[in-house]
Every structure is written in structure tokens, then in C-alpha cells.
Amino acid sequence: MNITELTADALSRAIHARQVSCREVMQAYLARIDAVNPAFNAIVSLQDGDGLLRQADARDLQLARGESMGWMHGMPQAIKDLANTAGIPTTLGSPLMRHFVPKEDGLLARRMKAAGCIVIGKTNTPEFGLGSHTFNEVFGVTRNAYDPRFSAGGSSGGAAVALAQRLLPVADGSDFMGSLRNPAAWANVFGLRPSQGRVPMAPTQDVWVSQLGTEGPMGRTVRDVAPLLSVQAGYDAVAPLSIAQNGHQFRAALDFDPQGLRIGWLADLGGYLPMEDGILPLCEQALDRLKGVGCEIEPAALGMPPDAVWQAWLVWRRALVASRIAPFLLNAKNRAHIKPEALWEYDQAQGLSGSQLLGASVQRTVFYQQMLGLFEHYDYLALPTAQVWPFEASQRWPQNIASGGASGAMDTYHRWMEVVIYATFAGLPCISVPAGFNAAGLPMGLQIIGRPQADFAVLQLAGAYEQVAQDVLRRVPSG
């Protein structure tokens, strides 16, 4: 049995059937990390192997007594380095946080530990999670699982690469501007951004206004993503706007008949979004797979000026990101140790008024209502997951997007990711599914967006897609 090749769900069943011990699982993953991680730098702050094996032995003793902690019993898990982990550094990828070791777990880690996982370390992330390219001055660059010369995306880049390279059975991440979806697309795995409030975050600075970022699951199969979401999801009073449902619904069978479902293909929003050559045709091929199982694919229009959405998004993003950076700038000397993109976000927000933020909220409301109107005609919406193919890891971010022989300059460090803001801004569930590869062997994903709080329906359609996309999913990276 090649333990690290098992899906997370198969691994869970094998552990509970005593076909493989938790010690054997830990040994297999630690050996894989030792052999592969140096070339990709996905897992950081790896903990002492002897201590991890002792924890695995304790899980085996529990099973010998007929006790199971849950679906993740004995699974090695590395938590994204933005989420607090007791006794393990949580650096946020910042030199200023290099030595910060939380005394308590955050809610995400606490829930996964309660389900039986063993935390072996962290997964790498950009500084403060900003930008869809995973590099920082603490741990360096995380490299693409299919070609280490290229970016892994981000900010859950370490998580995505760890999955693709079989360093973890399943992974957690977080998503503000595509951070669960973009790296999943560039690693040929599944990344689900849950509905806003489905997976509550704690601790956090603000529980009332900051409603754009969310944590969530990633997996090599949809049947791995769903049970991990069941562990992560559920109301908690520390997050008063979290959805008042538990996660048990995501353990139900995903099988269903997609015959007759209508999918609105937003493509590049009528030419508004620049796309590198080859991305749209590849995503249309992915949609053809769904057409083959009975879905109806129809061209769709956003129905309002996309730039109005972008301008409102910028106001919200500046306000929320600046509030995260502000505590570090109470000491003016820290400015020299914060990356320029984070400082730009902070500086752009200075002078932002309450009326401007409220105006952007009104525009966001108009956009949300427009999305509801689209769902009167379509069961799902679809978009590419990224506007560019994985770029060279030596770049900070794409300065322009070459499309159809023309080149469009990017006016911000994240404008090349504009395609992911629509699900985020409307708080809608959205999964990135593997769409295929370009001639250079680099992967791309397709976003499937569902109705408000229809996370299970999104997983169901992704599961149907997975069954007819095995040619894409069988293409695994070397390593």
C-alpha cells in the first residue's frame, strides 16, 4: 500500500479498519516530506519527528480501545501559516512575526485537532497572505508542484503544493481574493471557498465588518473536500455572523443527476477581463465535460459594469487590509520590515472616510442583488479561476497580461486576479476544479459558483465533474 497516494477519505477508512497504523501513516508522510519538500518549500515549521510519532502511537492506542476522534483520526495535517497553532510558530510570513508562538489554537486548528488530526507544522503563505504568489522573507518561495520554476499561486500556495506533491492527505487554507482557488487551479487540485460565515474565523480583530475572508478546505478529490468542510464548518458564538448550521450535511452522499442544470458561462465578462491565451478555450473544454453529463451551458453577462464592482472592491479591500497592517505600524521602525504591497494597501486607505466605505457597501449590495437575479436563470455560474498561467517564481506579480497579441498593463499588484472577486464580494460558495493543462504542462482551473449558502450543491456538481475529468486528475506531478 502506497500510503501517501491514498485519497484522504480512503486513508481515513484504512486507518479505522486497522489496515494501516497511524504510526505507519506518519512515517510515510514524514519520509515523503523529507524527500520532496526541499525542492518545493510547501511545508514550514516542521515539528520534531519523534514527537509526531509518539502522537501517532497515542492515536493507535485509542483505536485499539475502540475509540476514534473522528474522520481525521491520525492524519498528518499542516495548518496554513496565517492560522494560530498552539506551540508552533504562526509567522504570517512576516519577519516581524518570525518568533511568535501562540499559546492557543485558533478555531480552525482546534476543530481539526478535535477530529483527530496531528499537526506536523505549517504551510507556507505570502507575507500577511497578500498577493497570489507564495513567497516571504521568513521561509522563501513555494514553487509550483508541476514545475518549480513557476509560482504556486497563493496565498494558500503551500497547502496546494503539499496536496499535489502528496505531502499531506488534505489541506486547509483561507480565501480573501481567491487564495483557496488560485493555488488549487495551479496545482490541479480542488479548492473550495465556502459561503461567507460557513467556516467561522477566530481569533480575529473584527467580527462585524470584516466579512470577505474565510477559511476552507482543499483536497485532491471532492470526496476529500466535503468531509474536511464538515469538520471546519459550524456556528460558533465567537463569530456572531457565522451560519447557524453544523457541518454534518457535508458528510452526505454527493451523488446526484446533473441532467438539465443550467450553467451560466461568464467567461471574460464580454472582453472586460484580459486573459492569457489558451485559458478560455481550456475552461470551455472543461464545461463541455459537464455538458456531456446533461448540463446546459449558456453564455451569461454580469449585467452591470464590472469596473463598478472593482472600484467598490478596492475600497473594501483597502479598509480591511489596512486594519490588519495598522498594528504593526504603531512602531514606525517596522515599516522597513513590511513588504511594499502591504504598505501600499495601508497607505491607500489613509483618509478613507466612513461615507466612502458605506458607498462601497451600497455598490456591493447592488452587485449582490444582480447576482441573485442571475441565479433566477442559472443554477450555477462559471468563470476561469485565473487570468494568467503560473508565472516565473522570480517575479513578484504579473506586470501585464498578454492577450490575443495585445498586452494590458496591471495597475495594482492584484489586478491580474480580478476574476476571483465576484464570488468573494457576494459571499457565495465557489469551488475551483481542475480544468486541464497548457502545452508547457502548467495547470489551470475553472470556478463554479453556487447560490447563497448552497455549498453542498456546489460540491455535488464538482463531484459530477470529477467523475468525467479523470484524464485531467490522473496527471500528477513528478517529485
Side-chain angles (χ1 to χ4, degrees):
M1 180 188 297
N2 188 338
I3 290 173
T4 61
E5 286 296 329
L6 293 175
T7 67
D9 202 48
L11 179 63
S12 179
R13 285 185 273 109
I15 289 172
H16 284 90
R18 309 295 298 279
Q19 296 170 345
V20 61
S21 70
C22 298
R23 169 173 271 266
E24 290 170 327
V25 171
M26 185 61 71
Q27 287 174 325
Y29 272 100
L30 290 178
R32 177 73 180 169
I33 291 167
D34 182 64
V36 175
N37 194 56
F40 296 93
N41 194 35
I43 292 180
V44 297
S45 298
L46 183 65
Q47 298 299 283
D48 173 67
D50 289 339
L52 294 173
L53 288 171
R54 284 194 293 272
Q55 292 185 59
D57 290 340
R59 294 289 191 276
D60 282 325
L61 287 173
Q62 287 177 294
L63 291 176
R65 296 193 299 266
E67 303 168 2
S68 169
M69 297 179 70
W71 181 73
M72 302 187 79
H73 191 99
M75 280 192 197
Q77 177 74 4
I79 310 294
K80 184 175 177 180
D81 200 21
L82 297 182
N84 281 0
T85 43
I88 301 176
T90 297
T91 74
L92 315 183
S94 167
L96 299 173
M97 296 287 285
R98 186 190 300 268
H99 303 296
F100 174 63
V101 180
K103 295 180 179 179
E104 297 181 351
D105 287 317
L107 182 59
L108 184 78
R110 193 159 66 246
R111 286 182 169 179
M112 290 189 291
K113 281 185 176 180
C117 82
I118 300 172
V119 177
I120 64 171
K122 308 299 282 282
T123 54
N124 203 21
T125 184
E127 185 176 329
F128 300 118
L130 299 178
S132 194
H133 179 20
T134 300
F135 70 95
N136 60 63
E137 293 185 12
V138 182
F139 298 113
V141 179
T142 296
R143 298 179 177 276
N144 191 281
Y146 284 82
D147 190 329
R149 296 173 299 174
F150 294 90
S151 170
S155 60
S156 307
V161 174
L163 271 177
Q165 281 290 347
R166 279 55 178 169
L167 310 182
L168 294 174
V170 75
D172 65 88
S174 55
D175 188 305
F176 188 103
M177 193 176 178
S179 291
L180 276 157
R181 293 164 282 161
N182 171 262
W186 288 0
N188 204 42
V189 299
F190 295 89
L192 175 71
R193 178 192 166 88
S195 295
Q196 195 67 47
R198 177 71 66 194
V199 178
M201 296 178 70
T204 186
Q205 287 176 297
D206 166 68
V207 299
W208 300 109
V209 177
S210 186
Q211 301 297 315
L212 291 181
T214 180
E215 293 167 320
M218 306 176 80
R220 295 196 296 268
T221 73
V222 179
R223 282 166 177 78
D224 288 350
V225 171
L228 181 55
L229 180 61
S230 76
V231 170
Q232 296 173 337
Y235 175 81
D236 193 290
V238 300
L241 300 183
S242 55
I243 296 173
Q245 294 175 336
N246 61 40
H248 295 328
Q249 60 182 299
F250 304 112
R251 296 307 306 271
L254 294 172
D255 301 327
F256 85 130
D257 184 2
Q259 187 77 30
L261 290 174
R262 300 178 67 187
I263 301 175
W265 172 227
L266 291 168
D268 60 0
L269 304 184
Y272 169 78
L273 294 171
M275 294 272 175
E276 283 191 341
D277 294 339
I279 292 176
L280 288 176
L282 187 71
C283 289
E284 287 164 357
Q285 289 176 25
L287 289 170
D288 284 343
R289 294 186 178 93
L290 288 172
K291 188 184 294 184
V293 295
C295 295
E296 300 173 9
I297 314 299
E298 303 174 16
L302 196 61
M304 64 181 294
D307 191 61
V309 181
W310 175 251
Q311 294 304 324
W313 164 266
L314 284 180
V315 173
W316 270 98
R317 182 177 172 90
R318 288 165 184 163
L320 298 184
V321 173
S323 67
R324 288 162 46 196
I325 304 302
F328 295 96
L329 290 172
L330 292 175
N331 181 346
K333 293 181 180 179
N334 285 345
R335 192 174 178 94
H337 304 287
I338 297 175
K339 73 176 186 178
E341 294 83 358
L343 295 175
W344 177 84
E345 296 274 15
Y346 175 81
D347 293 341
Q348 287 287 310
Q350 301 313 297
L352 185 66
S353 69
S355 62
Q356 286 174 306
L357 183 58
L358 185 58
S361 186
V362 169
Q363 186 64 61
R364 182 183 179 188
T365 303
V366 170
F367 167 67
Y368 175 72
Q369 292 169 342
Q370 181 62 34
M371 293 291 275
L372 291 183
L374 287 175
F375 282 115
E376 292 178 5
H377 301 283
Y378 305 107
D379 299 295
Y380 301 87
L381 299 172
L383 284 158
T385 305
Q387 293 167 243
V388 301
W389 298 98
F391 51 87
E392 291 186 4
S394 58
Q395 288 183 257
R396 292 186 73 87
W397 46 276
Q399 302 289 322
N400 58 72
I401 295 180
S403 179
S407 181
M410 299 291 99
D411 56 358
T412 75
Y413 78 98
H414 46 39
R415 189 68 183 257
W416 61 276
M417 299 164 57
E418 190 170 356
V419 72
V420 297
I421 71 170
Y422 304 103
T424 296
F425 218 31
L428 299 173
C430 179
I431 192 168
S432 176
V433 301
F437 295 78
N438 66 5
L442 296 171
M444 181 52 60
L446 173 76
Q447 294 180 86
I448 297 173
I449 304 174
R451 291 188 171 104
Q453 298 190 21
D455 305 60
F456 188 71
V458 168
L459 288 167
Q460 284 184 306
L461 185 61
Y465 174 83
E466 180 180 17
Q467 294 179 33
V468 293
Q470 289 300 308
D471 57 322
V472 175
L473 297 172
R474 280 194 296 266
R475 190 163 172 176
V476 299
S478 59

